[in-house]
Amino acid sequence: MPKTIRELADEFGVSKQAIRKKLDANFRAKYVQTVPRNGVQTLVVSNSGYLLLK
């Protein structure tokens, strides 16, 4: 299941900014999508992107 930036930050014990710094343009193009959640556009990282960050 795709995870949000906040979920990743909580799981890894780092800030949301630290996660965002790892999401360069190439990574975003392959593993990040913007989806609406509760009426707000949210960045979500795919499972394969999650494994790379881990």
Side-chain angles (χ1 to χ4, degrees):
M1 177 176 181
K3 295 190 178 215
T4 65
I5 302 297
R6 178 181 296 256
E7 291 169 343
L8 291 172
D10 290 344
E11 184 173 332
F12 297 148
V14 297
S15 67
K16 291 188 303 183
Q17 292 82 7
I19 298 293
R20 286 183 178 271
K21 286 181 181 180
K22 295 294 183 183
L23 305 181
D24 63 4
N26 189 31
F27 186 90
R28 283 180 186 246
K30 291 180 181 178
Y31 304 110
V32 179
Q33 294 179 338
T34 303
V35 297
R37 284 200 176 172
N38 299 326
V40 177
Q41 294 294 327
T42 305
L43 292 176
V44 294
V45 178
S46 68
N47 288 335
S48 53
Y50 164 75
L51 293 174
L52 287 173
L53 288 172
K54 191 171 182 181

